[in-house]
Amino acid sequence: MPQSVPSLPRRVARILRTSLFAQVACALVLGIVVGKLWPGVATDLKPLGDGFTRLIKTVISPLVFCVVVVGIAKAGDLKAFGRIGLKALIWFEIASTAALLIGLVAANVVQPGSGMNVDPSTLDASAIDEKTGGGSLPSTTEFVLNALPTSFLGAFAENALLQVLLLACLVGAALLHLGHTRVPQVLPAVEQAQEIVFAIVGFVMRLAPIAVFGAMAVLVGQYGLGVMKTYAKLIILCYAAAALFVVLLAVALRMVAGLSLWKFLRYIREEMLLALGTASTESVLPRVMQKLRRAGARDDAVGLVLPTGYSFNLDGASLYLSIGTLFIAQAVGVDLSLGQQLTVILVLMLTSKGMAGIPGSAFLALSATASSLGAVPAGAVALLLGVDRIMDSMRVVTNLLGNCVAVFAVARWEGALDLERARKVLDGDVASLPDESEEGPERPAGKAPDTPDASDEASTAGVPAQPAVREPAPEAG
């Protein structure tokens, strides 16, 4: 007797029950609707997004530590790890400089601030202090010193990612120096801790739709949709420049690693939508690390390049800063010379590297750039207060994609990328999250043994393929 086909409502309910992508997409739409219709209620939903981000941040430091330690110990070559770090910094500088130049050219061609004729004396400069909490960007010396931990546990307690990364490198190097025979129980313990952290990430990810709903409701409720009309030219320019940069990333990824950025986007669609909804790349760092490893990038490359990129490779922020600087100059009627615009590039190349984790960092960087020029009043930065939150989506997508491409590029450059496996995963020929376990701690660095593909039907239905599931988060249908 032929099996009956489920009705449309039942199929929709099944997708919503099993697909994280569908859940987050629905939450995104609902958040916009609630923010538009009930803005007063929407602003009270801020704890939903903030709570989720806090939970994710609690596992970022231990996850980075475990992945880097295991990656170094299993790679067995500290010099290779040093080469990966150097190549990552070279890639970061090239990518962020390209982003700055694209933003500068775009702002000169389109002139988004021309014709506004704003009087700087009418602007409320105190609003900038409120946005930034009266803080300032660290100097180069302060930035370097802040990357050095004052205590082992303090780095984890303060969630200082660069400090944790340095500690992980030291521990991994010590394991290589001592050898597994002298400390036979340390590496297995770190590997088991890594498995526990991934399991926690799976639990927390079940709350992602709630977080996206709350974050989007707050955004629309607080700023409304009308702000987009006022700053339409600037917003369109920033998003168009980001789209051009993403196209360049796609070309670079194809040339360097022979991979498709569009297939990679499909592969991380749940994480991308979550990052958009929460306006935070930190909220998806653990899952993106896991997916990059499963897509053939070696553990040490993923563990070093991706977290470091969160501080050194903010491509979306670089685009926004260069366009924003010229926008405020044009708005107040200041015509910057070519030499002054080159100064903008040089200043932003430095200030954009110390922005991560600092409240209102974009405004601090813009204020520092305006002050260095001398021709643009620092208070004019207040012109961007109303539109800054709208730019988060552009910055998040560009930052995240830029760092993921950096992982593939540096891993390929170092010979730490399993290209055959990467192509299979991005083509959907190898089962992805959460139905794989061959990428567990027993996997040698750089190796990804072939295993039978898990059934897509089993994944959609929520039935885990064998062997046991590492992460219980539902897979996209």
Side-chain angles (χ1 to χ4, degrees):
M1 186 175 179
Q3 187 176 3
S4 60
V5 178
S7 63
L8 180 60
R10 299 183 70 177
R11 290 201 300 271
V12 171
R14 180 185 179 185
I15 292 174
L16 287 175
R17 187 178 66 253
T18 60
S19 170
L20 180 63
F21 179 81
Q23 293 168 4
V24 172
C26 288
L28 200 68
V29 174
L30 286 174
I32 294 173
V33 171
V34 171
K36 178 64 177 175
L37 298 180
W38 302 286
V41 175
T43 54
D44 294 331
L45 300 177
K46 193 173 186 295
L48 296 180
D50 291 348
F52 175 82
T53 304
R54 286 192 177 195
L55 287 174
I56 285 291
K57 284 185 176 181
T58 59
V59 297
I60 287 178
S61 291
L63 176 61
V64 169
F65 179 82
C66 292
V67 169
V68 172
V69 169
V70 172
I72 295 177
K74 288 196 169 183
D77 186 357
L78 197 58
K79 290 183 179 179
F81 199 72
R83 288 196 305 269
I84 290 174
L86 178 60
K87 291 173 181 178
L89 291 177
I90 293 173
W91 181 273
F92 292 160
E93 194 56 51
I94 293 172
S96 57
T97 303
L100 288 170
L101 289 173
I102 289 174
L104 208 64
V105 172
N108 275 292
V109 171
V110 178
Q111 300 277 321
S114 61
M116 293 185 70
N117 300 319
V118 176
D119 182 1
S121 63
T122 63
L123 299 173
D124 183 10
S126 63
I128 300 295
D129 292 332
E130 183 180 349
K131 178 75 173 180
T132 61
S136 62
L137 289 175
S139 65
T140 303
T141 303
E142 291 172 336
F143 180 74
V144 173
L145 288 177
N146 289 338
L148 303 177
T150 55
S151 79
F152 199 98
L153 296 179
F156 289 87
E158 296 172 5
N159 215 21
L161 200 54
L162 288 180
Q163 295 182 14
V164 171
L165 194 59
L166 177 60
L167 290 173
C169 293
L170 292 174
V171 172
L175 282 176
L176 284 180
H177 176 71
L178 295 173
H180 299 317
T181 55
R182 295 180 63 181
V183 282
Q185 297 181 358
V186 174
L187 184 58
V190 175
E191 291 174 330
Q192 291 169 23
Q194 178 178 271
E195 295 298 304
I196 293 173
V197 172
F198 275 127
I200 294 173
V201 171
F203 299 150
V204 176
M205 285 300 294
R206 294 181 181 274
L207 303 175
I210 299 175
V212 169
F213 167 74
M216 286 306 299
V218 171
L219 170 61
V220 178
Q222 185 173 358
Y223 295 100
L225 300 176
V227 69
M228 299 186 70
K229 298 178 182 178
T230 307
Y231 290 91
K233 194 174 182 180
L234 175 63
I235 294 171
I236 292 172
L237 175 62
C238 285
Y239 277 83
L244 174 60
F245 185 78
V246 170
V247 170
L248 293 180
L249 285 178
V251 173
L253 183 61
R254 176 66 71 180
M255 293 177 62
V256 174
L259 300 175
S260 168
L261 183 64
W262 318 122
K263 291 181 179 179
F264 179 73
L265 267 171
R266 183 180 62 188
Y267 176 56
I268 63 164
R269 60 189 181 275
E270 295 97 339
E271 291 73 26
M272 187 61 70
L273 198 59
L274 175 59
L276 282 170
T278 58
S280 169
T281 52
E282 284 188 337
S283 64
V284 297
L285 175 60
R287 289 263 299 192
V288 171
M289 288 182 71
Q290 191 176 19
K291 283 199 166 183
L292 286 169
R293 293 167 65 218
R294 293 185 175 184
R298 206 167 67 195
D299 287 3
D300 51 349
V302 174
L304 181 61
V305 178
L306 191 63
T308 307
Y310 271 53
S311 292
F312 289 93
N313 192 39
L314 304 174
D315 299 326
S318 298
L319 270 170
Y320 173 62
L321 289 174
S322 56
I323 293 175
T325 301
L326 263 67
F327 169 79
I328 60 176
Q330 294 161 5
V332 297
V334 174
D335 185 19
L336 298 180
S337 66
L338 178 61
Q340 289 174 314
Q341 293 189 29
L342 291 177
T343 302
V344 168
I345 292 293
L346 293 175
V347 172
L348 290 178
M349 283 174 63
L350 297 175
T351 56
S352 63
K353 299 297 184 291
M355 288 171 50
I358 300 175
S361 56
F363 289 95
L364 291 172
L366 286 168
S367 298
T369 306
S371 299
S372 68
L373 292 174
V376 180
V381 176
L383 284 171
L384 293 173
L385 281 171
V387 75
D388 181 71
R389 184 64 178 83
I390 305 296
M391 299 299 187
D392 277 343
S393 297
M394 177 275 291
R395 291 193 293 249
V396 163
V397 170
T398 313
N399 288 345
L400 184 58
L401 285 179
N403 285 319
C404 289
V405 169
V407 171
F408 281 124
V410 173
R412 175 63 171 163
W413 190 0
E414 180 58 27
L417 178 63
D418 187 339
L419 270 179
E420 181 181 356
R421 176 170 181 79
R423 291 192 182 101
K424 285 183 178 180
V425 169
L426 298 189
D427 288 338
D429 294 336
V430 176
S432 59
L433 290 176
D435 298 316
E436 285 182 308
S437 61
E438 70 269 24
E439 292 285 332
E442 303 304 321
R443 181 190 126 191
K447 300 293 182 182
D450 292 333
T451 58
D453 291 353
S455 166
D456 290 338
E457 178 66 21
S459 174
T460 303
V463 180
Q466 296 297 326
V469 175
R470 163 184 288 174
E471 180 179 307
E475 175 62 344

